[in-house]
Amino acid sequence: MKENIPELKERTYAIEDAFFSPYAKKSKDTAGRRRQEEPCGMRTDFQRDRDRIIYCKSFRRLKNKTQVFFSPEGDHYITRLTHTFDVAQIARSMARALSLNEDLAEAIALGHDLGHTPFGHSGERILNKLSPDGFRHNEQSLRVVDVLEKHGNGLNLTYEVRDGILNHNQLQAEGVPITLEGKCVCYADRIAYINHDLDDAIRAGVLKADDVPKDIVAVLGSTSKERINTAITSVYLASRGKNYVSMGKEVKQASDALRTFMFDRVYYTPFAQGEEVKAERMISALYEYFVDNPAALPETYYKLIGVCTPEQAVCDYISSMTDRYAVYTFNRLFVPKGWTFGDELT
């Protein structure tokens, strides 16, 4: 039997009224959903959005999508799912420190990479090159929650969560995301991927810990724990009591320098680009096959054709794939199966 306990939601509203910053987005002030629906009797709309994202299929598939290293065999490498959890935790820490809405920040963070391709940003660059309409993972993440989930019905999330998902990579842009909670996610995303990608690169032997320039270490720290704590503290000190989210100048400069270092020494190395060439051959072959044979798409994606282009439907399908499912599909379509030998050699 479904029971509503409205005092739980009202208690949350009262806590927000009493303790939130005047610049926070309070749950009762949401701009609402694109389709009207009966509110939950217990949860706020942002809490409900968080739960919808956690239980959707696209979220579960993140566990087998690349963050940096393609299909890593080690148990401790970061995947797109563990990256998402990192971003959610950092965003919540920032929101809590600044008396913002943690539930909103968490919902945005959990949904920000739902549209990411297999093989990380390499997959994104490849689809962007192949598709006549281009491909950007933030826009695809919004498409996932608006259209693709729940057999084409979408998750019907709130305006603030949808805005934060779409604009989570707009760190330098003015006025977006529209909420400070969304801006926390912008910072949390960059803090998470720079630091944990560095840890993975050291774990993989691509870098040594002492390769990181000493001037960066002097500001941010020598361990992931120290660097993340430095970044969160800097955001708090620069943003407390203000109607914006920012980072202190010295820490921001050091963080930008670390990001540049990672691009030079990890993301754009010959090793990484060599793997991207392999991913491009695979994704290009899959893209061309399904554009030429749209009826071979799964029904969920095939039925989209008519309300979107075949190229968009193919991008929807390929971007939904995990690394290993992309490899499986490529092998199924393009690698010949061997004959079973009989007794002729005995």
Side-chain angles (χ1 to χ4, degrees):
M1 182 178 69
K2 181 178 178 181
E3 292 188 23
N4 289 334
I5 311 176
E7 63 265 25
L8 293 179
K9 186 161 63 174
E10 293 302 323
R11 184 175 65 188
T12 300
Y13 289 160
I15 291 172
E16 293 181 359
D17 285 337
F19 298 107
F20 273 11
S21 161
Y23 308 117
K25 173 56 69 172
K26 295 178 181 178
S27 300
K28 65 183 179 182
D29 294 333
T30 175
R33 307 182 187 280
R34 296 201 299 173
R35 300 191 304 273
Q36 289 291 112
E37 58 181 69
E38 182 182 354
C40 177
M42 297 172 58
R43 297 167 296 166
T44 70
D45 285 338
F46 298 147
Q47 290 170 345
R48 202 177 190 186
D49 283 359
R50 176 197 59 204
D51 295 349
R52 289 180 180 185
I53 291 168
I54 287 175
Y55 291 113
C56 77
K57 291 180 179 178
S58 300
F59 185 80
R60 292 197 292 271
R61 288 197 293 267
L62 296 178
K63 66 182 178 181
N64 289 313
K65 289 195 177 189
T66 284
Q67 173 64 15
V68 176
F69 296 100
F70 291 179
S71 300
E73 296 182 0
D75 291 334
H76 300 120
Y77 287 97
I78 298 294
T79 66
R80 189 61 59 181
L81 180 63
T82 52
H83 163 73
T84 295
F85 285 139
D86 290 338
V87 175
Q89 180 58 38
I90 294 171
R92 284 194 70 111
S93 295
M94 288 180 180
R96 183 183 302 120
L98 295 171
S99 299
L100 302 176
N101 195 323
E102 292 182 48
D103 293 329
L104 173 56
E106 183 179 27
I108 295 169
L110 292 173
H112 83 283
D113 269 355
L114 291 178
H116 234 302
T117 59
F119 310 121
H121 285 284
S122 295
E124 179 178 16
R125 287 190 290 269
I126 295 161
L127 279 185
N128 186 53
K129 184 163 60 173
L130 292 170
S131 172
D133 298 321
F135 183 93
R136 287 158 289 277
H137 80 274
N138 58 312
E139 296 175 0
Q140 187 67 20
S141 293
L142 183 63
R143 181 168 169 79
V144 167
V145 300
D146 279 354
V147 177
L148 300 180
E149 273 293 335
K150 298 188 73 172
H151 307 289
N153 294 311
L155 300 181
N156 197 28
L157 302 182
T158 58
Y159 175 73
E160 293 81 7
V161 172
R162 294 175 59 251
D163 168 81
I165 289 172
L166 177 63
N167 295 302
H168 74 266
N169 55 352
Q170 300 297 318
L171 186 57
Q172 309 300 332
E174 292 293 330
V176 290
I178 59 170
T179 64
L180 299 191
E181 291 82 0
K183 207 67 172 179
C184 286
V185 174
C186 292
Y187 277 102
D189 186 30
R190 180 168 293 197
I191 292 167
Y193 80 71
I194 291 174
N195 286 287
H196 293 136
D197 291 355
L198 175 58
D199 287 345
D200 273 359
I202 293 171
R203 183 177 292 112
V206 177
L207 292 175
K208 296 178 181 177
D210 56 9
D211 288 337
V212 181
K214 290 182 172 53
D215 58 332
I216 295 176
V217 173
V219 175
L220 301 181
S222 60
T223 66
S224 178
K225 175 183 176 181
E226 291 175 351
R227 292 189 298 268
I228 291 173
N229 184 68
T230 297
I232 293 174
T233 301
S234 179
V235 168
Y236 168 69
L237 293 175
S239 310
R240 57 184 172 180
K242 299 182 175 66
N243 192 17
Y244 58 81
V245 177
S246 186
M247 181 181 281
K249 182 178 179 180
E250 183 182 28
V251 174
K252 184 180 185 305
Q253 288 177 340
S255 297
D256 289 346
L258 179 58
R259 183 173 182 267
T260 299
F261 170 79
M262 289 294 294
F263 273 93
D264 291 342
R265 295 293 300 275
V266 178
Y267 302 141
Y268 288 158
T269 60
F271 170 78
Q273 291 181 319
E275 294 301 299
E276 183 166 326
V277 169
K278 299 176 186 177
E280 181 165 8
R281 291 172 183 157
M282 182 182 300
I283 292 176
S284 296
L286 292 173
Y287 180 87
E288 291 170 7
Y289 176 83
F290 286 113
V291 167
D292 291 340
N293 302 277
L297 289 167
E299 181 181 0
T300 298
Y301 300 95
Y302 181 62
K303 71 180 184 180
L304 292 171
I305 299 174
V307 294
C308 73
T309 64
E311 291 82 2
Q312 177 64 65
V314 171
C315 283
D316 290 338
Y317 182 42
I318 292 176
S319 65
S320 76
M321 295 179 178
T322 62
D323 293 14
R324 64 184 183 181
Y325 186 75
V327 173
Y328 162 79
T329 304
F330 179 86
N331 287 337
R332 177 174 62 83
L333 294 175
F334 300 111
V335 177
K337 296 179 180 179
W339 290 90
T340 301
F341 289 104
D343 296 332
E344 66 271 19
L345 299 181
T346 61

